[in-house]
Amino acid sequence: MKKRILGILLTFCMVLMLCPATAFADEGSSTITIDGPDKVCAKQDYEFTATPSAGVTLNEKFGHDNGSSGSDIPLTIDKDGVGHGVVPSEWYDPSAGGFDVIAHGMMADKTPVSTTKHVEVSPEHIYVDGVCGCGDVLTYTVQYDGGADFGLCVDFKTHGKDLTLRGETFTMDGFVQTGWVDQDGAVYDLGGLYTLDEDVTLNPVFDKLITVTIPYTTTVALGGVGEPGETTFELELIDGWGKAKTDDNVTVTAAVTTDGAGDYSGTMTITGPERTLWDLLSEDAFVRQVNAGEAGWNYDDTVWGLYTSEIAAYSTADSAEFIVLTMPASVSDEGSYIIDWDSIDWENPEPTEMTFTNTYTKTVTEPTELTKPTGLTPTTPATGDNSHMALWLALLFVSGAGVIGTTVYSKKKRAK
């Protein structure tokens, strides 16, 4: 029995030795792997690599078959034996919907091997991060719709990139464009950023232009004997910490020119979009005088607080929708300006007119007559330059000697 089993095993081993070694080789060890997209845009060339397994040598050409026609195309084989191929997009058959790529090779024992990969051709662009393999970039339409009176404007946003929206584009008498709004009510600033990767239609946001006027009085007082000439004093709008309060769509004017002591009436005029003015003046708004630093002046540093109310009966605005009341402000423990809200009669609010008193302190000294010195004999001041007197005396002496010599010589000559 043992001899029979041993004989069977020996026979099986002999059979195995007679079989080709490749019959039992690993199924994946004698293959070619094609790497490339499974789907390609109809305008995109198809690029791929063909990597042979160990012991397999690639053919220098690969096959292309779109179902109705085929061809052999050269492969570029690198030093590692990996092939690189390209199927031009003009070889695609749109009606076929795809094509096959076939890579061929040969094993060491001359046994041929091949691999086929099917690639789908898409009539649409295939975007990855907004860019298609054919180079097309995904864009979105941003439409600015001004209505029948203004028409349309269009910008295009690139996928993945922010678009800077247009600034003021449409104009209307008595109004100013302050922003954009989309169909869902989202509001965008003029010149702001649009970040969404989708089409959008934006309509202009208009705000009515209004003017708020605030009266005030500037008083010039004298603190010395001098009399000031024309001087201009200005006011400025600030926040609770003394920083200028401004907006691109708002203009503030407040200036009074004085000429000597007395009271001078002025008007602070603030013009801008209604919503913007409400935001600017309804909270943390104060007024102070600009210290121009001119010599001889003590500037009034009083700060006045502004309170904006919607009581139309007291309105100083052209729109008659809100007013601005003024009241003295004080300084908090933290150093900011505050308003004493308890001092306001909320049932019948009355504004307190702003006043500023500036004192001219420059003193002018009148000239006085000089006192003559006593005990001294007046002398006549020299009127000419005597720096060369010795020279003139020498010349006079020489001239006299010459005259005397000439006279003597003439007498001796006559005597002879």
Side-chain angles (χ1 to χ4, degrees):
M1 183 67 179
K2 291 182 179 180
K3 293 181 178 180
R4 182 180 297 177
I5 294 174
L6 181 59
I8 293 173
L9 291 175
L10 290 173
T11 302
F12 182 71
C13 291
M14 292 176 65
V15 171
L16 289 177
M17 293 177 66
L18 293 173
C19 293
T22 57
F24 296 95
D26 185 6
E27 183 178 352
S29 64
S30 302
T31 60
I32 301 171
T33 302
I34 297 177
D35 291 316
D38 296 331
K39 192 174 184 179
V40 66
C41 169
K43 295 183 179 181
Q44 175 187 358
D45 293 344
Y46 185 75
E47 300 181 10
F48 68 95
T49 60
T51 305
S53 60
V56 175
T57 302
L58 280 175
N59 289 354
E60 294 183 352
K61 292 185 178 182
F62 70 92
H64 164 261
D65 185 359
N66 59 19
S68 59
S69 63
S71 58
D72 289 333
I73 310 173
L75 269 176
T76 300
I77 301 177
D78 61 26
K79 63 180 182 179
D80 297 324
V82 177
H84 303 267
V86 178
V87 179
S89 59
E90 56 264 25
W91 288 7
Y92 303 160
D93 181 359
S95 62
F99 58 87
D100 290 333
V101 174
I102 307 100
H104 305 282
M106 186 172 293
M107 297 175 58
D109 62 358
K110 306 302 182 182
T111 302
V113 294
S114 64
T115 298
T116 300
K117 178 180 179 65
H118 182 73
V119 180
E120 182 183 351
V121 176
S122 170
E124 304 291 338
H125 292 293
I126 302 173
Y127 292 106
V128 177
D129 294 331
V131 180
C132 180
C134 69
D136 187 79
V137 179
L138 185 60
T139 59
Y140 307 92
T141 300
V142 177
Q143 183 172 262
Y144 307 92
D145 186 0
D149 293 335
F150 304 110
L152 298 174
C153 299
V154 176
D155 283 336
F156 295 97
K157 180 188 180 300
T158 300
H159 181 92
K161 294 184 178 180
D162 295 341
L163 173 70
T164 300
L165 298 174
R166 299 193 181 194
E168 185 177 1
T169 305
F170 307 110
T171 58
M172 182 187 302
D173 290 341
F175 292 82
V176 62
Q177 185 185 350
T178 57
W180 302 101
V181 61
D182 65 15
Q183 57 270 22
D184 297 324
V187 177
Y188 300 87
D189 293 333
L190 296 175
L193 295 179
Y194 180 67
T195 60
L196 301 179
D197 286 330
E198 58 185 47
D199 296 336
V200 68
T201 297
L202 300 175
N203 300 105
V205 176
F206 287 105
D207 203 354
K208 185 177 181 180
L209 283 173
I210 64 171
T211 298
V212 174
T213 57
I214 305 172
Y216 67 95
T217 299
T218 296
T219 299
V220 172
L222 299 180
V225 298
E227 182 75 18
E230 286 193 357
T231 307
T232 299
F233 300 97
E234 296 182 353
L235 306 183
E236 63 179 341
L237 189 65
I238 60 174
D239 63 15
W241 294 99
K243 296 181 179 180
K245 256 198 144 177
T246 60
D247 188 275
D248 291 341
N249 293 319
V250 175
T251 58
V252 179
T253 57
V256 167
T257 299
T258 64
D259 189 7
D263 297 332
Y264 299 85
S265 298
T267 300
M268 188 174 199
T269 302
I270 308 174
T271 301
E274 191 167 19
R275 292 187 188 91
T276 304
L277 285 191
W278 175 262
D279 293 338
L280 195 69
L281 302 178
S282 62
E283 184 177 356
D284 194 36
F286 298 85
V287 175
R288 72 180 173 195
Q289 190 172 228
V290 177
N291 188 336
E294 290 194 22
W297 285 98
N298 284 338
Y299 290 84
D300 191 339
D301 59 0
T302 301
V303 175
W304 294 79
L306 303 183
Y307 169 68
T308 305
S309 172
E310 293 180 295
I311 305 174
Y314 294 93
S315 178
T316 58
D318 293 343
S319 66
E321 293 192 10
F322 66 89
I323 64 169
V324 178
L325 304 180
T326 57
M327 58 207 69
S330 59
V331 180
S332 69
D333 295 337
E334 291 77 18
S336 63
Y337 299 119
I338 58 175
I339 295 175
D340 182 10
W341 299 107
D342 295 334
S343 65
I344 300 176
D345 182 359
W346 297 103
E347 294 183 358
N348 187 26
E350 289 288 346
T352 302
E353 183 175 303
M354 296 188 298
T355 58
F356 302 90
T357 300
N358 303 313
T359 304
Y360 188 69
T361 59
K362 189 173 182 180
T363 301
V364 179
T365 303
E366 297 293 337
T368 59
E369 184 180 358
L370 294 177
T371 304
K372 295 182 180 180
T374 58
L376 298 176
T377 302
T379 59
T380 303
T383 58
D385 186 2
N386 62 356
S387 60
H388 301 288
M389 184 60 69
L391 177 60
W392 288 108
L393 291 174
L395 290 175
L396 181 61
F397 176 77
V398 172
S399 299
V403 171
I404 294 172
T406 302
T407 304
V408 171
Y409 175 76
S410 298
K411 288 182 178 181
K412 287 182 178 180
K413 187 174 182 182
R414 287 195 297 273
K416 290 179 179 181

